[in-house]
Amino acid sequence: MSITSENSVLVIGAGTSAPFGLSLGGDLISEISNTIGREKRIFDGKFSGRIGIGSRAAFHYFFAHENFRECPILNTIVHPYMNFELDQIEVNVQDHLDKLWHLVELLNNQTSETIDDFIVENPTYAAVVKKCVSTLFFLACVDSNHTLRAKSFEARYLGNQNRNWVHLLINIVRQGIRAGEVSAENKIKIITFNYDMILEYVLEKQFSNTERRMAHWSDYIEILHVHGQCGSLSELNERPAKICDEWAKGIHVVNEPNVPDWVQQNRNLASDIIRSSRELYFCGFAFSGPNCRLLELGEPDDWLGERTISFCNYDGNVGLSKAVANYEQIVVPTADPDQISLVSTDIQEAKGTRTEPIGVTDWLRLGYLGELPA
């Protein structure tokens, strides 16, 4: 078994971005609330709570590029209106800010476990919440100085001294290329629920970082973003607020209506791959019902007969184990309405504990995804 085998696929979720310092979906609820609250106190101190209190010059200075880090979410919300006159800004922006202030109360009193669910349950707040998410992701992805430069995500070791898991993935792929298992005709298939593009950034920096001649990583690896995506970390050449505003437009969570065609095409292709794969690998993925249904995980092709699901259970979560167990035996309709097919799933769980969790790096090192070179 290996990700380099034919009819195999790797599915990754937020847990694989966490080692790079990005927040999980549940943590984002409190982080957004706390950040807006802090920015509101700063804004109220400058403008007494209303845009019209102050001059145009003071307003533009407050939202200048150099001051982005003082109130990043506010900068992202206001960015589209910066060229307006102050009275026009007051008319066009104040409603957005009032909604932002009310968002804090909504977030603090919601039952939603994740920010994705909050977006679906509160559609009139979806756009502003996405801007909050994209802004926090942007801050987590760039250096803390005023230059627009991605953090050292391509480094061998991350800030917490953990081995960079994408490096290990690259090693597995290179081993597959040498063995003749990975090629342009048999690419590694990765389905990601993450908005960020750190994986692509590290691949761009490190895949060909060797004397041995290698084609571009995209000749060997296919990545499908099924929840949309923020922008490339290799192309940070605009004002931060503009980047965050654009990144927000690329976020499209499960159960949201009217997703763009390219996102729907990724989802269709992802479900086709999942249904026909014999070996399915999951890491950093919570197996939530909506996301599993998006992948059509419970609807394998009837000709499969059997398949394998290998997954990483970071801290031995019992609910996660039970969710995966639901896919052990699946009755599948066939082309003949009088016949059914039974697809059996061999479930292989790498289970950590709260005191000794198994992260994505550990999972790769233990060989669950394939052979690492000597």
Side-chain angles (χ1 to χ4, degrees):
M1 282 186 58
S2 170
I3 190 60
T4 60
S5 305
E6 284 193 74
N7 295 324
S8 65
V9 60
L10 169 64
V11 180
I12 60 176
T16 60
S17 288
F20 296 108
L22 272 66
S23 299
L24 300 175
D27 296 334
L28 279 170
I29 291 177
S30 57
E31 286 187 25
I32 291 172
S33 172
N34 293 337
T35 303
I36 295 173
R38 180 185 62 79
E39 293 189 19
K40 185 179 188 303
R41 290 190 292 272
I42 295 172
F43 183 83
D44 287 350
K46 298 278 188 179
F47 298 98
S48 301
R50 304 296 296 180
I51 291 174
I53 308 297
S55 67
R56 185 175 188 272
F59 181 81
H60 278 260
Y61 176 78
F62 182 73
F63 289 107
H65 167 71
E66 293 79 8
N67 295 330
F68 173 80
R69 288 184 182 275
E70 184 175 19
C71 291
I73 289 178
L74 278 174
N75 269 265
T76 302
I77 299 297
V78 170
H79 165 74
Y81 308 96
M82 282 299 290
N83 292 327
F84 288 18
E85 294 296 330
L86 188 60
D87 57 344
Q88 293 175 302
I89 291 174
E90 185 177 2
V91 170
N92 286 278
V93 180
Q94 192 64 58
D95 284 346
H96 292 286
L97 295 185
D98 290 341
K99 177 173 282 190
L100 192 65
W101 310 148
H102 186 240
L103 178 60
V104 173
E105 181 182 351
L106 274 178
L107 288 169
N108 290 342
N109 292 290
Q110 277 291 310
T111 61
S112 296
E113 282 292 300
T114 67
I115 201 67
D116 289 6
D117 185 55
F118 180 88
I119 289 172
V120 173
E121 291 295 325
N122 300 276
T124 62
Y125 285 83
V128 68
V129 171
K130 289 178 182 181
K131 291 186 180 186
C132 295
V133 172
S134 66
T135 303
L136 293 184
F137 272 28
F138 175 83
L139 293 172
C141 285
V142 298
D143 282 336
S144 57
N145 52 39
H146 290 300
T147 61
L148 288 181
R149 183 174 59 199
K151 287 182 178 177
S152 301
F153 293 130
E154 74 275 19
R156 180 178 176 85
Y157 291 97
L158 305 176
N160 52 14
Q161 291 305 302
N162 283 335
R163 185 76 163 90
N164 191 321
W165 72 265
V166 183
H167 287 205
L168 301 180
L169 174 66
I170 289 171
N171 292 340
I172 292 171
V173 176
R174 287 177 181 165
Q175 183 82 342
I177 294 170
R178 286 193 287 268
E181 298 172 341
V182 179
S183 64
E185 291 72 37
N186 182 39
K187 293 184 179 183
I188 301 292
K189 296 178 283 292
I190 299 177
I191 297 169
T192 176
F193 284 79
N194 298 335
Y195 315 128
D196 67 85
M197 298 185 70
I198 294 175
L199 173 58
E200 288 92 334
Y201 179 80
V202 179
L203 289 171
E204 194 69 39
K205 293 286 186 179
Q206 292 290 10
F207 190 81
S208 300
N209 185 19
T210 172
E211 288 185 8
R212 190 168 175 269
R213 289 190 176 183
M214 302 285 290
H216 191 260
W217 66 265
S218 60
D219 286 355
Y220 303 109
I221 303 171
E222 179 179 19
I223 301 175
L224 297 173
H225 286 262
V226 294
H227 273 186
Q229 64 193 48
C230 297
S232 169
L233 291 175
S234 300
E235 300 173 0
L236 300 177
N237 52 11
E238 299 281 357
R239 289 183 52 160
K242 182 177 181 181
I243 293 171
C244 296
D245 189 48
E246 289 299 317
W247 280 16
K249 297 172 185 174
I251 298 174
H252 304 282
V253 304
V254 69
N255 290 330
E256 262 196 308
N258 305 318
V259 299
D261 289 344
W262 72 268
V263 175
Q264 190 57 55
Q265 288 168 6
N266 276 4
R267 292 178 179 182
N268 293 342
L269 182 54
S271 62
D272 288 343
I273 291 170
I274 291 292
R275 288 200 310 270
S276 62
S277 290
R278 290 192 180 278
E279 298 175 16
L280 301 93
Y281 302 85
F282 296 83
C283 192
F285 184 69
F287 286 88
S288 71
N291 287 337
C292 289
R293 288 190 289 274
L294 182 149
L295 294 177
E296 299 186 14
L297 185 59
E299 302 175 37
D301 288 341
D302 57 17
W303 55 264
L304 277 176
E306 58 184 28
R307 63 180 182 173
T308 299
I309 288 180
S310 175
F311 72 104
C312 180
N313 190 342
Y314 175 75
D315 57 0
N317 185 284
V318 175
L320 184 60
S321 300
K322 290 179 65 176
V324 181
N326 291 328
Y327 300 100
E328 197 165 9
Q329 298 283 346
I330 299 175
V331 176
V332 184
T334 67
D336 184 345
D338 296 324
Q339 301 254 346
I340 59 170
S341 178
L342 182 66
V343 175
S344 299
T345 303
D346 177 26
I347 296 175
Q348 299 184 358
E349 178 180 14
K351 184 186 294 187
T353 66
R354 290 192 176 185
T355 54
E356 295 184 7
I358 293 181
V360 57
T361 302
D362 307 308
W363 192 59
L364 285 160
R365 278 181 160 163
L366 290 168
Y368 281 96
L369 207 56
E371 179 184 358
L372 287 164

